[in-house]
Amino acid sequence: MAAEIKGGINIAMKVPSHQYEATLAFYRDVVGLEPFDDKAPARGFLLGPNRLWIDEAPGYSQAEVWLELFTPDHKIALGHLEQNGVVRCDPIEDLGAGFRGGWVMNPANIVHMVREPDAW
């Protein structure tokens, strides 16, 4: 079976604590994006068909953007990526036992969650 990988709907912005509230205010008050908080304490905004999650990241010195990829079979997709030299980085954030997916980095060190659509 060939690996099938598609773009997901979630974009996570990991923001240092000293910039967190100002970043929320920027998207809420300046840009005017519609906020959501259905997975509190996580906070985010509707970004067209996507969800932009703004995650407070204590200890970070600068923001990072993390992307999501969907697959019907995470084991096949992650195996395919590993066979092609993609770096796994699962320890970067715990997804919990039984989560059907994992973390990888692209060559520019951008983190990607690779998951089945109903992995949560």
Side-chain angles (χ1 to χ4, degrees), residues 97-113:
F99 183 82
R100 293 184 314 280
W103 297 108
V104 299
M105 284 191 174
N106 75 10
N109 291 321
I110 302 298
V111 176
H112 292 67
M113 174 188 283

Side-chain angles (χ1 to χ4, degrees), residues 69-86:
L69 298 170
F70 281 165
T71 180
D73 188 317
H74 76 282
K75 290 179 182 175
I76 290 174
L78 289 167
H80 167 78
L81 293 168
E82 284 182 273
Q83 289 171 0
N84 284 279
V86 174

Side-chain angles (χ1 to χ4, degrees), residues 45-100:
F45 300 90
L46 297 180
L47 186 67
N50 299 96
R51 288 182 159 232
L52 174 61
W53 297 86
I54 310 295
D55 297 335
E56 186 173 4
Y60 279 41
S61 64
Q62 61 187 29
E64 294 182 8
V65 174
W66 295 13
L67 303 175
E68 175 182 67
L69 298 170
F70 281 165
T71 180
D73 188 317
H74 76 282
K75 290 179 182 175
I76 290 174
L78 289 167
H80 167 78
L81 293 168
E82 284 182 273
Q83 289 171 0
N84 284 279
V86 174
V87 175
R88 291 286 300 266
C89 56
D90 292 318
I92 200 160
E93 185 174 296
D94 183 18
L95 295 169
F99 183 82
R100 293 184 314 280

Side-chain angles (χ1 to χ4, degrees), residues 23-39:
T23 301
L24 290 172
F26 171 77
Y27 287 107
R28 181 187 60 236
D29 304 334
V30 178
V31 178
L33 295 181
E34 181 181 341
F36 63 85
D37 61 1
D38 56 333
K39 291 190 179 188

